[in-house]
Amino acid sequence: MTHSARRMFELLEPICLVTYLADECNEELAALGHRTYWDGYFASRAAPLGRVPAQVVHAAFYSFADGEVARHIPSAWETIPPEASVAARERGSAASLRRILGDELANSPGLVRAADLTTKAATYAPTEGRMMYAGMRTLPVPGDPVARLWHSATMLREHRCDGHVAALVGARIGGTEAHVLDALARGIHPPESFGRLHHLPKERLAAVMDGLRKRGLVDADGRFTDTGREAKQRVEALTDELAVPPYDALSPAELDELVAELEPITATLVAAGSR
């Protein structure tokens, strides 16, 4: 089942990525009055948690550097209700999917079936210890099949992210450290040039790299050691293992059917870069 969880991640991630890469979601959030991309990002993704302080969002998101969340939360909610940001995110993401997939695929029976099976999995798993997933579970599931597919794929993404955070915490790998290891796994060197890292203060990045060297996870040149590569692999393996529970809702035949129905949807999104 861990193989199936990884395969489902590969199939569902391009659906979720339209939220962050395509124009429609950002346009919807900007139309509400959010001044920047990041205002809209934090306001809409964190909204299912309720009007919690920045410290809670920072803990739940895990991967952002100290102070990054506080630049947007709670100020992004002061004039725009969180509920409005959530609705705008859904509208924009569904609109992106419809545009990229085209009428034939967006209106196909296969997409409806994929949405139904994805929702069956996404609404099955226990919420204990899954802060972001639990927040998403409080939102109504859309009736429109395209919006429902995006919503349920995003629920499963947050479920997986919660498990990934647990795996990182267990491995004593902090959020910024995780970005360094992710950069190296992607073949990016120096890792400090990675898009999630390059904007951070140089002193902060130097301290993170020094800490990773002292633990033997990276070498003097800032590349993986064998120990570091193995640590990254263990985190990914545990993330896959922790992502299994939603798919226990599906029979083997249903899981095979879901994969088959998602494959043309995902292929179309990948070809477009989810934009």
Side-chain angles (χ1 to χ4, degrees), residues 141-153:
V141 176
D144 172 72
V146 173
R148 184 164 70 252
L149 177 61
W150 170 82
H151 177 87
S152 296

Side-chain angles (χ1 to χ4, degrees), residues 16 20 44-50 86 89-90 122-123 127 130-142 147-159 162:
C16 304
Y20 311 110
S44 61
R45 187 182 171 209
L49 298 176
V86 168
R89 183 172 75 147
E90 181 186 304
T123 55
T127 58
R130 308 274 184 166
M131 186 184 302
M132 293 300 300
Y133 173 64
M136 284 288 297
R137 283 282 297 271
T138 68
L139 303 179
V141 176
R148 184 164 70 252
L149 177 61
W150 170 82
H151 177 87
S152 296
T154 300
M155 275 201 285
L156 289 168
R157 187 178 200 258
E158 294 292 19
H159 180 277
D162 286 332

Side-chain angles (χ1 to χ4, degrees), residues 162-173 234-236 238-239 242:
D162 286 332
H164 188 56
V165 168
L168 290 169
V169 170
R172 297 186 300 112
I173 295 171
R234 285 195 301 272
V235 166
E236 293 302 318
L238 182 54
T239 299
L242 294 174

Side-chain angles (χ1 to χ4, degrees), residues 49-132:
L49 298 176
R51 291 178 181 265
V52 296
Q55 294 94 325
V56 175
V57 178
H58 176 78
F61 284 17
Y62 194 72
S63 61
F64 288 88
D66 291 343
E68 287 191 305
V69 175
R71 288 200 287 270
H72 307 278
I73 297 296
S75 61
W77 292 332
E78 288 174 354
T79 58
I80 303 166
E83 297 79 9
S85 296
V86 168
R89 183 172 75 147
E90 181 186 304
R91 286 195 307 271
S93 299
S96 296
L97 286 178
R98 290 191 192 93
R99 171 180 56 80
I100 297 168
L101 296 178
D103 290 341
E104 183 176 352
L105 192 50
N107 297 321
S108 67
L111 185 139
V112 175
R113 183 59 173 157
D116 290 345
L117 289 172
T118 302
T119 302
K120 184 177 180 179
T123 55
Y124 174 80
T127 58
E128 289 81 1
R130 308 274 184 166
M131 186 184 302
M132 293 300 300

Side-chain angles (χ1 to χ4, degrees), residues 169-185:
V169 170
R172 297 186 300 112
I173 295 171
T176 305
E177 292 176 329
H179 284 317
V180 172
L181 300 187
D182 192 34
L184 292 174

Side-chain angles (χ1 to χ4, degrees), residues 232-250:
K232 172 65 172 171
Q233 290 170 348
R234 285 195 301 272
V235 166
E236 293 302 318
L238 182 54
T239 299
D240 287 339
E241 183 180 343
L242 294 174
V244 167
Y247 304 106
D248 290 338
L250 306 179

Side-chain angles (χ1 to χ4, degrees), residues 1 6 21-22 33 40 86 95 115 147 153 171 203 264:
M1 282 300 294
R6 171 61 62 166
L21 301 179
V86 168
E203 314 83 66

